[in-house]
C-alpha cells in the first residue's frame, strides 16, 4: 500500500534536502506550486473561473493568464487571496490525486506532496503522515540570503511573513529539525531515517 506523505515548513528550512532523501527511497515527489503553475498554463476551466472572479485584467496580451498580474491583484488583499485559494485548491487537489493514483499504479512506495500551504489548503488531510521541516529563524535568514541572493532585510521580512514553528508543531504528525550545527549530510541522514520508518510503518 503506497504511503501518502505531506511535506511542509517555512522557506529556508531544508525541504529540498528532505525531499531528495525521500526520492532516494523511491517516492514520487509532487510539487504543489509547480502543479499550480502548470494548471495556470493548461487548465482552461481554472483560468475561466479566475477571470470570472478577478476580471480580464489578469490576462496577458496573448489572452493567457498572466501570473504577475494575478499576483498584483491579490497581493496585500486578504479577501482576494482567500478567493484565489478557494478557486485553485480544488483544481490542484484533483491534479495531485491523479498523479498519486499514477504513482500507486507504478508501484511506488510513497508519494510526497510538497506544499507550503499543505495544512491550510486541506491537502494534509489526504496524507497518512505530515512532516514539518523546521529550522531556527536565524539559520533560515542566512540560507535565504545565500540561496536567493537577497539582502538581509528582505530575507527577514520573508521569514517574518510565514507561519511560526508553533503552527507546524501543532498540525504535523512528525517534525524534522534542521539545526544550526547540521550539515546538509547530517540532516539528509536524519531525514532518511525518519522516512524509512514511515515507509516501514513505524
Amino acid at each position: 500500500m503506497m504511503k501518502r506523505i505531506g511535506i511542509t515548513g517555512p522557506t529556508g528550512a531544508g525541504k529540498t534536502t528532505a525531499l531528495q532523501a525521500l526520492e532516494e527511497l523511491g517516492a514520487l515527489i509532487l510539487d504543489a506550486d509547480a502543479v499550480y503553475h502548470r494548471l495556470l498554463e493548461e487548465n482552461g476551466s481554472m483560468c475561466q473561473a479566475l477571470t470570472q472572479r478577478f476580471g480580464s485584467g489578469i490576462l496577458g496580451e496573448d489572452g493567457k493568464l498572466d501570473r504577475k498580474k494575478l499576483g498584483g491583484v491579490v497581493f496585500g488583499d486578504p479577501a482576494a487571496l482567500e478567493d484565489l485559494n478557494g478557486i485553485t485548491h480544488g483544481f490542484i487537489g484533483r491534479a495531485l490525486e491523479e498523479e498519486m493514483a499514477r504513482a500507486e499504479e507504478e508501484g511506488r512506495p510513497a508519494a510526497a506532496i510538497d506544499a507550503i500551504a499543505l495544512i491550510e489548503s486541506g491537502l494534509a488531510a489526504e496524507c497518512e503522515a505530515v512532516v514539518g521541516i523546521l529550522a531556527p529563524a536565524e539559520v533560515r535568514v542566512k540560507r535565504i540570503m545565500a540561496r536567493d541572493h537577497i539582502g538581509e532585510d528582505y530575507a527577514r521580512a520573508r521569514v517574518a511573513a510565514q507561519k511560526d514553528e508553533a503552527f507546524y508543531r501543532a498540525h504535523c504528525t512528525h517534525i524534522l529539525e534542521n539545526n544550526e550545527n547540521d550539515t546538509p549530510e547530517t540532516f539528509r541522514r536524519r531525514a532518511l531515517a525518519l522516512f524509512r520508518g514511515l515507509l516501514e510503518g513505524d
Side-chain angles (χ1 to χ4, degrees):
M1 183 74 176
M2 187 185 77
K3 288 278 175 72
R4 297 182 176 203
I5 301 172
I7 306 288
T8 190
T11 186
K15 285 197 298 293
T16 301
T17 303
L19 288 163
Q20 286 168 348
L22 192 47
E23 200 167 23
E24 278 183 52
L25 299 175
L28 175 68
I29 307 302
L30 298 170
D31 181 339
D33 200 40
V35 169
Y36 166 61
H37 290 158
R38 176 168 60 80
L39 292 175
L40 287 178
E41 292 282 328
E42 300 174 1
N43 191 295
S45 298
M46 188 174 88
C47 292
Q48 185 178 15
L50 291 170
T51 307
Q52 284 175 347
R53 166 60 182 84
F54 298 109
S56 59
I58 62 171
L59 301 177
E61 290 180 7
D62 59 359
K64 290 187 174 182
L65 199 144
D66 186 311
R67 271 169 36 204
K68 285 186 178 176
K69 289 183 177 181
L70 177 60
V73 170
V74 302
F75 184 74
D77 184 340
L81 183 60
E82 193 172 325
D83 286 349
L84 171 66
N85 290 337
I87 293 167
T88 59
H89 284 165
F91 287 98
I92 294 167
R94 283 190 290 278
L96 289 169
E97 193 63 46
E98 288 173 11
E99 294 286 347
M100 286 189 286
R102 197 169 297 126
E104 191 151 22
E105 284 174 15
E106 290 172 2
R108 299 259 194 170
I113 301 172
D114 169 22
I116 286 180
L118 183 84
I119 295 154
E120 303 93 311
S121 67
L123 287 170
E126 306 298 319
C127 301
E128 283 97 7
V130 178
V131 180
I133 315 293
L134 299 180
E138 287 303 313
V139 173
R140 289 168 48 217
V141 166
K142 288 175 189 170
R143 285 185 187 146
I144 295 166
M145 288 170 65
R147 184 190 70 196
D148 298 344
H149 310 292
I150 59 174
E152 185 175 344
D153 289 347
Y154 187 37
R156 288 190 182 282
R158 282 178 59 183
V159 166
Q162 295 194 315
K163 303 284 187 188
D164 61 14
E165 283 197 11
F167 173 82
Y168 294 105
R169 291 186 189 280
H171 292 94
C172 296
T173 59
H174 299 76
I175 295 292
L176 187 56
E177 304 213 34
N178 193 352
N179 299 312
E180 193 167 358
N181 297 325
D182 273 318
T183 64
E185 182 55 28
T186 58
F187 177 63
R188 178 184 153 279
R189 285 201 298 265
R190 199 176 317 120
L192 278 171
L194 172 65
F195 293 135
R196 279 197 184 103
L198 289 175
L199 295 184
E200 289 163 8
D202 291 351

